[in-house]
């Protein structure tokens, strides 16, 4: 039986996150302090004692979740023995650092640049996302394809749960048509913009140079990447997929299915929250899931 380690994305944050890791030992504390220096502000103050509103800002949320995940993986030490890894959107960067493909410093710098680039892209055009529950993926894809405004399937989270992304007009029209087509819910999300859609092209262009200039090594195990849910160990291909990720869909359902097909018998979620454990269970109720934790 193989063990898959999975890393959460935006939305998993909570006030107080990472405080226990900061207090764990000198090594973890030093990593948080290094992050404060790299980012140029004390993100630890916001993580440990900020408001939910402060923590929700993209330029805070993304590095905060990344730090929680990566420092937890490092703190696991010899316990951290992945046969395969994957991360949901932002979590792909956490997975790459934890699996030795990216350095801690480079990973954090890229995540900070990604967050700022996404924020800028959001400000260029008002846009949004919506969760669609209870429809087949193909039905959602077909309806989105019929709408002239920008709207695409963005996050394939689990069977029967797909998030669409695009212009406000596009998402609104899609929600009406998808409800008529039998969706149980079409729920607009409280997000800053159309992540994982063509509207993120300006962010992709901005981030491409940064990713291309960053050293990526072969990871210690295969990483299943968001854009096509396939497993990779080749550094150059990993880079290309990371660049494509901003405008491409997060194929999480397919990622879990592929990991299961490759004999993953246990999934360990590394980072804040337990969203991914729930999504894994929706794909296969029998599979073992748990949250990574530090043995006292």
């Amino acid at each position: 039986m193989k063990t898959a380690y999975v890393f959460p994305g935006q939305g998993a944050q909570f006030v107080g996150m990472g405080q226990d890791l900061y207090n764990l030992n000198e090594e973890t504390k030093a990593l948080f302090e290094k992050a404060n220096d790299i980012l140029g502000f004390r993100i630890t103050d916001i993580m440990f004692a900020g408001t939910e509103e402060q923590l929700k800002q993209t330029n805070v949320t993304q590095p905060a979740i990344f730090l929680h995940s990566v420092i937890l993986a490092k703190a696991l030490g010899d316990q951290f023995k992945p046969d395969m890894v994957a991360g949901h959107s932002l979590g792909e960067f956490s997975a790459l650092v934890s699996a030795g493909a990216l350095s801690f410093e480079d990973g954090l710098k890229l995540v900070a640049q990604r967050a700022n680039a996404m924020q800028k892209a959001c400000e260029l055009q008002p846009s949004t996302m919506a969760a669609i529950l209870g429809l087949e993926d193909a039905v959602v894809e077909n309806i989105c394809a019929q709408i002239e405004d920008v709207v695409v399937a963005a996050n394939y989270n689990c069977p029967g749960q797909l998030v669409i992304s695009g212009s406000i007009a596009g998402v609104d029209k899609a929600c009406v048509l998808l409800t008529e087509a039998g969706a149980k819910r079409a729920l607009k999300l409280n997000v800053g913009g159309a992540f994982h859609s063509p509207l993120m092209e300006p962010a992709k262009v901005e981030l491409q140079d940064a990713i291309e200039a960053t050293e990526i090594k072969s990871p210690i195990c295969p990483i299943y990447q968001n854009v096509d849910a396939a497993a990779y160990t080749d550094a150059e291909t990993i880079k290309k997929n990371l660049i494509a990720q901003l405008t491409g869909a997060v194929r999480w359902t397919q990622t879990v299915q592929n990991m299961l097909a490759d004999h993953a018998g246990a999934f360990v979620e590394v980072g804040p929250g337990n969203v991914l454990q729930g999504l894994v269970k929706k794909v296969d109720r029998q599979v073992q899931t748990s949250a990574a934790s530090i043995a006292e």
Side-chain angles (χ1 to χ4, degrees):
M1 183 177 90
K2 292 183 178 175
T3 304
Y5 282 80
V6 292
F7 296 79
Q10 209 158 328
Q13 69 276 7
F14 63 90
V15 175
M17 62 187 288
Q19 177 91 63
D20 53 338
L21 287 169
Y22 184 92
N23 296 333
L24 186 68
N25 58 43
E26 285 306 315
E27 192 190 352
T28 53
K29 186 176 183 175
L31 286 170
F32 277 111
E33 288 300 341
K34 185 185 267 190
N36 287 333
D37 292 342
I38 289 171
L39 293 170
F41 68 97
R42 290 196 62 80
I43 192 168
T44 48
D45 292 352
I46 303 174
M47 288 171 72
F48 306 160
T51 63
E52 275 186 28
E53 206 49 49
Q54 287 173 304
L55 202 52
K56 242 173 42 184
Q57 305 302 318
T58 295
N59 67 325
V60 174
T61 312
Q62 294 198 18
I65 291 168
F66 168 86
L67 288 171
H68 191 292
S69 297
V70 167
I71 294 173
L72 175 55
K74 284 188 186 292
L76 290 172
D78 294 340
Q79 273 181 272
F80 184 71
K81 289 198 184 75
D83 294 303
M84 50 184 85
V85 293
H88 191 289
S89 189
L90 156 74
E92 193 157 283
F93 289 82
S94 311
L96 284 166
V97 172
S98 301
L102 260 175
S103 73
F104 174 79
E105 294 82 355
D106 286 344
L108 179 57
K109 284 175 193 165
L110 284 179
V111 164
Q113 284 175 290
R114 178 181 190 266
N116 290 326
M118 286 169 80
Q119 189 60 47
K120 277 194 263 179
C122 292
E123 287 159 11
L124 284 174
Q125 181 177 355
S127 53
T128 191
M129 300 175 84
I132 309 301
L133 306 183
L135 278 183
E136 295 283 323
D137 291 350
V139 175
V140 180
E141 291 163 352
N142 289 339
I143 286 175
C144 286
Q146 292 164 25
I147 294 167
E148 282 184 15
D149 299 274
V150 176
V151 59
V152 295
N155 294 359
Y156 294 78
N157 284 332
C158 64
Q161 187 192 327
L162 210 163
V163 175
I164 59 171
S165 181
S167 66
I168 289 170
V171 170
D172 284 345
K173 284 176 193 169
C175 284
V176 171
L177 293 173
L178 291 163
T179 304
E180 285 170 3
K184 286 181 192 154
R185 305 263 318 259
L187 185 72
K188 281 178 81 170
L189 303 178
N190 182 16
V191 292
F195 304 137
H196 300 287
S197 83
L199 296 180
M200 282 292 123
E201 187 63 36
K204 177 182 165 183
V205 170
E206 190 172 324
L207 203 64
Q208 182 161 356
D209 291 343
I211 291 174
E212 281 173 353
T214 301
E215 184 188 9
I216 293 185
K217 303 189 189 107
S218 290
I220 57 172
C221 64
I223 176 160
Y224 290 68
Q225 290 191 275
N226 290 177
V227 288
D228 61 1
Y232 293 97
T233 53
D234 172 64
E236 281 311 305
T237 314
I238 287 170
K239 252 186 201 189
K240 284 197 191 91
N241 291 338
L242 212 48
I243 292 164
Q245 193 225 55
L246 270 178
T247 53
V250 176
R251 298 183 179 278
W252 191 254
T253 305
Q254 298 88 336
T255 295
V256 175
Q257 287 166 340
N258 289 346
M259 287 175 136
L260 289 165
D262 293 337
H263 312 295
F267 283 76
V268 182
E269 184 165 5
V270 189
N274 55 10
V275 170
L276 298 184
Q277 292 171 71
L279 297 181
V280 169
K281 287 282 192 195
K282 294 264 175 65
V283 178
D284 182 352
R285 205 172 287 151
Q286 306 306 315
V287 77
Q288 187 187 321
T289 62
S290 63
S293 64
I294 309 300
E296 294 302 328

